[in-house]
C-alpha cells in the first residue's frame, strides 16, 4: 500500500480518551521516539498508558519487527493510536490493551532499510485519536476559511501563541507627509486568505507579525516596497512597489494590525536613499520566496520547530507531498535542498540517497544557512 494511503486510515480507525475539546494543530502527530534496528529501546508516556516501551528487531527474513510493551491502562475506555513510519512506509496501530504488541515492516528496498538505519523508524502518537484528530483539523481549518475565520485567528493567537489583544478606540491616520524613506511596517493581517498565512508565520517563527514592508520615495511619489505572495487576494505576487494610497486602501479593507517603525537618528544618518532605490530596482519583479519560506525559520537541526511539529516529522511530510504533488514539494522543499547540496532536479527520494552517499544528515542540511 502506498505511503499516502495511510493518511486515509487515520480517519477510519482508532479512538481517543473520551470527550475532549478540539485544539488548533493538535491533529499533527506527536513524535514519541525513534527505533533503530537491534538498537536501544525507546520509552514514553501517553494519556492512556503511562508506560510504553518499544524496540525494533531484525527478523530472519530481513524484515523489521516493532515490539511494543504497554503498561497499566488508565481507563477501560481509552486507547492510543500510533503511526510507525519510515520515509517510504507506514503502519497505523491502535493500542487498547496492556501487554505486548507487534508491528512488522517489510522493507521495500535497500534505500528504505538504509534510511531507517540512519534516521530510525519514527513513532508518532495521534494525540486525540482518529475522530478527535478530525475535529482538531476542522477547527484548524477555520483559521483559513469560513465565517468565523477572524475570530478563530484571534483565539488561536491568544491561546496558542500567548498574544494578548488589547482593545483600542479611535483610528490613527497616517499621511504621506508623515512617512520617510526607510520606514518599516510590521503587519498582522486578520481574516481569510492573507490572515491565514500570517497565522502560519506566527506559528512557525514565534513572531507577532506575519508580514513586513518598507517605504521609499521614488521620483517624488511614496511607495510601499515588499515581497509578497498575493495569497489569493488579486494582489500582485513577487518583489513589487505599490503607491501608498493604493496599498493603504487594500490593507484597510480588512482588519489589520500595523505598526510604523522609524530608524533612529544614528541609522537614519547612515541610510542612503539612492542606494536603497537602486537596490530595489535591481530585484524588482523577482518571485516571492516560496523556495526558502520554511527554511528561513530553521537555524538548528531540532530546536526551531513549534510543537507539535517535530524535526522527525518533516522529512516524512516532504516525501508524502512529493508523492501527492511533486510541483508543490519541489517548490517548498526540493529546490532549497538541491541548492544546499549543489545538485539539480533531484526528487525527495533521491535527495535522501544523495545525503546518505555524502554522510550528511537531513536535519543538518535543513539548518544550513541560506545562500542567496
Amino acid at each position: 500500500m502506498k505511503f499516502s494511503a495511510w493518511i486515509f486510515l487515520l480517519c477510519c480507525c482508532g479512538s481517543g480518551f473520551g470527550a475532549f475539546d478540539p485544539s488548533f494543530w493538535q491533529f499533527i502527530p506527536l513524535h514519541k521516539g525513534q527505533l533503530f534496528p537491534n538498537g536501544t529501546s525507546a520509552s514514553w508516556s501517553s494519556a492512556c498508558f503511562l508506560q510504553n516501551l518499544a524496540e525494533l528487531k531484525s527478523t530472519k527474513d530481513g524484515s523489521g519487527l516493532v515490539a511494543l510493551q504497554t503498561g497499566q491502562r488508565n481507563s477501560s475506555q481509552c486507547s492510543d493510536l500510533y503511526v510507525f513510519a519510515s520515509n517510504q512506509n507506514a503502519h497505523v496501530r491502535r493500542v487498547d490493551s496492556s501487554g505486548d504488541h507487534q508491528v512488522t515492516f517489510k522493507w521495500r528496498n535497500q534505500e528504505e532499510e538504509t534510511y531507517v538505519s540512519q534516521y530510525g523508524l519514527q513513532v508518532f502518537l495521534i494525540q486525540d485519536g482518529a475522530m478527535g484528530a478530525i475535529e482538531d483539523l476542522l477547527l484548524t481549518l477555520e483559521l483559513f476559511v469560513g465565517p468565523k475565520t477572524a475570530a478563530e485567528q484571534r483565539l488561536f493567537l491568544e491561546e496558542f501563541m500567548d498574544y494578548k489583544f488589547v482593545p483600542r478606540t479611535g483610528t490613527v491616520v497616517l499621511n504621506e507627509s508623515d512617512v520617510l524613506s526607510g520606514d518599516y511596517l510590521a503587519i498582522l493581517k486578520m481574516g481569510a486568505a492573507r490572515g491565514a498565512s500570517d497565522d502560519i508565520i506566527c506559528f512557525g517563527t514565534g513572531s507577532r507579525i506575519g508580514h513586513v514592508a518598507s517605504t521609499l520615495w521614488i521620483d517624488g511619489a511614496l511607495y510601499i516596497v515588499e515581497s509578497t505572495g498575493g495569497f489569493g487576494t488579486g494582489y500582485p505576487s513577487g518583489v513589487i512597489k505599490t503607491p501608498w494610497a493604493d496599498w493603504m486602501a487594500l490593507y484597510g479593507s480588512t482588519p489589520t494590525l500595523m505598526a510604523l517603525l522609524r530608524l533612529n537618528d544614528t541609522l537614519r544618518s547612515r541610510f542612503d536613499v539612492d542606494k536603497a532605490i537602486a537596490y530595489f530596482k535591481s530585484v524588482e519583479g523577482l518571485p516571492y520566496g516560496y523556495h526558502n519560506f520554511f527554511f528561513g525559520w530553521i537555524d538548528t537541526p531540532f530546536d526551531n520547530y513549534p510543537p507539535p511539529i517535530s524535526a522527525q516529522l518533516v522529512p516524512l511530510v516532504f516525501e508524502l507531498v512529493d508523492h501527492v504533488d511533486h510541483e508543490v514539494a519541489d517548490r517548498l522543499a526540493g529546490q532549497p535542498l538541491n541548492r544546499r547540496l549543489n545538485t539539480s532536479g533531484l526528487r525527495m527520494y533521491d535527495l535522501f540517497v544523495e545525503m546518505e552517499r555524502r554522510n550528511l544528515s537531513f536535519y543538518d542540511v535543513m539548518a544550513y544557512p541560506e545562500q542567496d
Side-chain angles (χ1 to χ4, degrees), residues 150-212:
E152 292 293 358
Q153 287 172 356
R154 176 174 173 174
L155 178 64
F156 165 74
L157 291 170
E158 289 182 338
E159 293 188 354
F160 209 91
M161 303 295 298
D162 195 29
Y163 188 168
K164 305 303 181 185
F165 288 84
V166 179
R168 60 186 298 175
T169 59
T171 301
V172 176
V173 178
L174 284 175
N175 298 313
E176 290 190 15
S177 57
D178 299 322
V179 181
L180 302 175
S181 287
D183 286 349
Y184 175 94
L185 289 166
I187 304 152
L188 178 64
K189 191 80 169 174
M190 307 296 286
R194 179 55 193 272
S197 67
D198 281 13
D199 270 4
I200 291 177
I201 292 171
C202 291
F203 174 59
T205 65
S207 69
R208 295 295 183 266
I209 58 174
H211 186 56
V212 297

Side-chain angles (χ1 to χ4, degrees), residues 81-150:
L81 185 62
Y82 288 102
V83 180
F84 299 91
S86 71
N87 65 327
Q88 298 186 43
N89 199 0
H91 287 286
V92 178
R93 181 65 180 266
R94 178 188 175 189
V95 178
D96 57 6
S97 63
S98 300
D100 296 328
H101 311 270
Q102 294 183 344
V103 177
T104 300
F105 272 78
K106 299 285 188 181
W107 309 126
R108 296 188 172 190
N109 48 48
Q110 182 61 46
E111 284 75 15
E112 181 186 10
E113 197 168 356
T114 300
Y115 179 93
V116 173
S117 297
Q118 182 177 5
Y119 297 100
L121 188 71
Q122 306 302 329
V123 182
F124 298 98
L125 174 68
I126 307 300
Q127 301 175 73
D128 293 327
M131 297 307 299
I134 294 175
E135 293 189 46
D136 295 334
L137 174 61
L138 293 176
L139 176 66
T140 305
L141 287 176
E142 290 183 358
L143 296 174
F144 301 84
V145 295
K148 298 191 293 182
T149 295

Side-chain angles (χ1 to χ4, degrees), residues 177-286:
S177 57
D178 299 322
V179 181
L180 302 175
S181 287
D183 286 349
Y184 175 94
L185 289 166
I187 304 152
L188 178 64
K189 191 80 169 174
M190 307 296 286
R194 179 55 193 272
S197 67
D198 281 13
D199 270 4
I200 291 177
I201 292 171
C202 291
F203 174 59
T205 65
S207 69
R208 295 295 183 266
I209 58 174
H211 186 56
V212 297
S214 188
T215 56
L216 283 177
W217 284 89
I218 303 175
D219 297 328
L222 179 61
Y223 291 92
I224 299 293
V225 292
E226 59 187 333
S227 178
T228 176
F231 300 104
T233 61
Y235 197 56
S237 176
V239 179
I240 60 172
K241 68 178 187 294
T242 307
W244 169 269
D246 296 343
W247 192 89
M248 291 299 291
L250 176 68
Y251 273 80
S253 62
T254 55
T256 303
L257 301 180
M258 188 184 307
L260 187 143
L261 308 176
R262 181 151 290 166
L263 297 173
N264 62 33
D265 291 340
T266 301
L267 294 177
R268 171 66 57 187
S269 66
R270 294 163 52 189
F271 183 72
D272 190 318
V273 176
D274 291 335
K275 287 184 178 180
I277 294 173
Y279 175 76
F280 169 74
K281 289 182 176 179
S282 73
V283 298
E284 186 176 11
L286 290 179

Side-chain angles (χ1 to χ4, degrees), residues 275-305:
K275 287 184 178 180
I277 294 173
Y279 175 76
F280 169 74
K281 289 182 176 179
S282 73
V283 298
E284 186 176 11
L286 290 179
Y288 181 67
Y290 286 111
H291 308 91
N292 62 0
F293 186 77
F294 294 111
F295 289 78
W297 307 352
I298 308 304
D299 299 313
T300 66
F302 297 101
D303 298 333
N304 293 127
Y305 296 92

